[in-house]
Amino acid sequence: MSATLPDVTESLPAEVIALLNSEDGAAFEQALDSMVRQREQHLFRALGLLARDLHGAVRRLGGELTFEGVPDSMADARKHLVEVLDMSAKAAHRSLDFAERMRPEADALSGNAAEVLDFTTSKTDPAAVLARQALAFAERCCEGLDDMVMAQSWQDLSGQRIKKVVVFIESVETSLLELVRLTGSLANREAPVMAVKVSSQDDADRLLSEFGF
Amino acid sequence: MKILVVDDFSTMRRIVRNLLVELGFSNPLIQEADDGDNALALLRASAFDMVVTDWNMPNMTGIELLRAIRAEPKWKGLPVLMVTAENNREQIIAAAQAGVNGYIVKPFTAITLREKLEKIFERLAASGASA
């Protein structure tokens, strides 16, 4: 059976191979313990540094937001976006007003020109020449108004995106408030009791120093 | 023909209404709703011949409105035209499976609207004739 197992001893450090071959069971256990502890300490230190960095970052953010005011700055951002939405809707409606006002004018011009052309279609009569120009202009005018109306539908498309951003800001606002509340309570030592209990300030200091604080 | 235009943006409702009027539909017979909920309330209050609806709306979206319409036996044959900025495959398939009659991607022209409406009425006439 042992023949099927890969030989891992070659890749192990000499001191481990020596330990594996040692007859002294107690020494083996002790060496193994110390190796595992060393590894754990590296891991705990790294986790401690990470936790300290995160804590610091959140506190800084909390401080800045408290200074600026989370509800104020976030609500302002949302308010501004809603204002943009309203303004763009107003602008679009004004353009639509214009299009609605101009279309009958263009139609009337077209009708009047057609009436003139009922009397004369002469190529040299200035009235007929002007009537033909007026007809062509009225037609181009209507096409332009159609394009303008279609362009106003972008207000709806851009507005939908703005609405999505408003909802997103709301969710960020809620999360940030929760984060600030949590770190605020941690800073005020109102955090929920930790699962690991320490009996004295010395124990606490030792534990914190082990974690790199 | 009585038409219900459903969109949460007043700009879009106005544009769709104007285009429909331009295509010859009667302005006073066009009604508007700003979401699916209000659309359903209007549909329950009186009979409509067609619904033109947006997809993205608060409270009740266009696809939910479409499903609610198809779930009601008396509205089974009510033509529903979806007018939306959503043009991804999944959403178009979802609308088709829910029983939409036409699908227009915004922004669109009066010509596109006329083409889609003509197709809807052609199909309805064909299915009515074969039924």
Side-chain angles (χ1 to χ4, degrees), chain A residues 85 88-89 92-94 96-98 100 103 146 149-150 152-161 163-164, chain B residues 7-12 14-16 18-19 22 54-58 83-86 106-110:
Chain A
L85 210 60
S88 66
H93 276 298
R94 283 193 71 166
L96 293 175
D97 286 345
F98 175 76
E100 281 172 26
R103 200 181 297 276
D146 284 346
V149 167
M150 187 185 156
Q152 300 317 308
S153 59
W154 288 105
Q155 190 271 328
D156 165 73
L157 302 179
S158 60
Q160 282 187 20
R161 278 166 182 70
K163 276 191 174 179
K164 279 182 187 162
Chain B
D7 200 307
D8 53 333
F9 279 81
S10 60
T11 329
M12 206 60 216
R14 188 172 170 187
I15 291 173
V16 173
N18 286 355
L19 289 175
E22 212 178 298
D54 181 28
W55 185 301
N56 282 317
M57 290 179 293
V83 175
T84 170
E86 308 296 338
K106 294 181 197 172
F108 58 96
T109 61

Side-chain angles (χ1 to χ4, degrees), chain B:
Chain B
M1 177 176 262
K2 215 168 148 196
I3 304 174
L4 180 59
V5 176
V6 194
D7 200 307
D8 53 333
F9 279 81
S10 60
T11 329
M12 206 60 216
R13 291 200 301 273
R14 188 172 170 187
I15 291 173
V16 173
R17 175 191 280 270
N18 286 355
L19 289 175
L20 288 169
V21 172
E22 212 178 298
L23 293 178
F25 293 96
S26 159
N27 199 358
L29 290 181
I30 299 172
Q31 284 194 40
E32 298 177 12
D34 60 2
D35 67 21
D37 274 342
N38 292 329
L40 277 181
L42 284 171
L43 284 170
R44 285 192 193 105
S46 64
F48 281 85
D49 301 300
M50 183 169 69
V51 176
V52 180
T53 182
D54 181 28
W55 185 301
N56 282 317
M57 290 179 293
N59 305 322
M60 186 190 238
T61 63
I63 189 78
E64 288 164 350
L65 171 65
L66 173 63
R67 286 179 185 137
I69 288 173
R70 289 295 174 254
E72 182 72 42
K74 66 175 170 184
W75 294 330
K76 237 182 103 191
L78 179 66
V80 177
L81 174 63
M82 202 85 138
V83 175
T84 170
E86 308 296 338
N87 58 354
N88 67 57
R89 220 180 113 78
E90 288 74 22
Q91 277 173 305
I92 295 171
I93 291 170
Q97 283 172 342
V100 81
N101 299 79
Y103 197 101
I104 298 185
V105 178
K106 294 181 197 172
F108 58 96
T109 61
I111 298 160
T112 312
L113 182 62
R114 190 179 54 220
E115 281 171 6
K116 299 293 172 193
L117 288 175
E118 278 170 0
K119 233 178 221 172
I120 288 176
F121 293 121
E122 266 170 35
R123 267 197 230 117
L124 283 177
S127 67
S130 64

Side-chain angles (χ1 to χ4, degrees), chain A residues 45-115:
Chain A
R45 195 168 296 280
L47 280 174
L49 287 172
L50 206 62
R52 190 185 58 182
D53 286 350
L54 179 65
H55 185 72
V58 169
R59 265 177 56 173
R60 269 198 307 283
L61 179 69
E64 279 162 22
L65 285 171
T66 311
F67 182 69
E68 297 271 338
V70 180
D72 285 352
S73 53
M74 287 292 197
D76 274 358
R78 275 192 289 134
K79 207 178 89 193
H80 291 158
L81 283 177
V82 172
E83 280 169 2
V84 169
L85 210 60
D86 287 347
M87 282 189 279
S88 66
K90 270 189 197 138
H93 276 298
R94 283 193 71 166
S95 304
L96 293 175
D97 286 345
F98 175 76
E100 281 172 26
R101 211 168 55 235
M102 292 315 287
R103 200 181 297 276
E105 304 254 354
D107 288 345
L109 179 64
S110 179
N112 291 340
E115 270 178 34

